[in-house]
Amino acid sequence: GLGIVEQISTFATTLTPDADRTDNIRIATRYLNGTVVQPGAEFSLNDTIGERTPERGFHRAPVISGGKLVDDYGGGVSQISTTTYNAAFFAGLELVTHRPHSFYISRYPEGREATLDYDTIDMIWRNDTSTGVLVQAFTGGGELTVRFWGTDSREVSTSSSPRRDITQPESREL
């Protein structure tokens, strides 16, 4: 009844070999998978996944804090944010808010990545279509995949230009 009849986008990112990080992604994916976003409604990834705590099964794994990698509960869930952001991008949905990571991560597309931190940094998109959107999320084959289902009415494409004005990063002792 909501017009969810076909796949309207899909995006996948490669998982790392860090077991705790990957387990956090699997836990968060279970909260995301099967979410239905009504026409006109906003989707908040933090509201959908919830707080990353040990009581909810999340492990300590690397997160970016103050420009450095430190261990904290839910490390890795930003990968769900980037993957979901790109699925929304390619579905042509309205991207409301996101924040890129504080440094470049090569497994993500340049200029299209989104970090996440409970209560402070969210990734939000709006279903600005006249039909519902179903979010399917799963891990397998060394990848995290997010698919959107609805009624396809938009065409999205991307292109990249050569890099220019490249600035070398500063070195830091961890």
Side-chain angles (χ1 to χ4, degrees):
L2 288 174
I4 299 171
V5 296
E6 62 189 335
Q7 181 178 300
I8 59 174
S9 71
T10 187
F11 198 80
T13 53
T14 303
L15 295 170
T16 67
D18 182 313
D20 286 334
R21 183 181 185 284
T22 298
D23 200 35
N24 287 337
I25 291 169
R26 286 187 184 115
I27 292 166
T29 297
R30 287 194 295 264
Y31 290 105
L32 175 60
N33 188 46
T35 300
V36 174
V37 182
Q38 299 288 328
E42 281 190 355
F43 167 89
S44 160
L45 191 57
N46 271 331
D47 287 350
T48 302
I49 295 174
E51 190 171 4
R52 278 70 82 182
T53 65
E55 294 78 23
R56 296 184 69 230
F58 288 95
H59 309 282
R60 294 176 68 84
V63 300
I64 300 171
S65 179
K68 298 189 291 189
L69 291 173
V70 298
D71 281 348
D72 199 2
Y73 289 101
V77 297
S78 284
Q79 184 163 348
I80 293 175
S81 185
T82 290
T83 310
T84 304
Y85 175 85
N86 277 277
F89 176 89
F90 284 109
L93 298 169
E94 180 185 347
L95 304 169
V96 175
T97 188
H98 80 286
R99 183 183 302 173
H101 290 85
S102 57
F103 56 77
Y104 174 65
I105 300 172
S106 62
R107 69 179 163 270
Y108 302 144
E110 296 170 352
R112 286 196 335 264
E113 45 96 16
T115 191
L116 192 69
D117 184 54
Y118 189 75
D119 265 354
T120 62
I121 304 170
D122 205 352
M123 193 279 299
I124 299 171
W125 54 268
R126 182 183 335 276
N127 178 3
D128 58 344
T129 72
S130 61
T131 64
V133 173
L134 168 69
V135 180
Q136 180 184 33
F138 58 93
T139 59
E143 292 185 324
L144 164 65
T145 302
V146 176
R147 291 186 180 138
F148 283 12
W149 297 80
T151 299
D152 196 6
S153 61
R154 299 170 180 174
E155 187 174 320
V156 177
S157 63
T158 64
S159 64
S160 298
S161 64
R163 291 181 178 184
R164 60 183 187 274
D165 298 327
I166 298 170
T167 302
Q168 290 301 316
E170 64 182 68
S171 295
R172 291 188 182 182
E173 294 288 325
L174 299 179

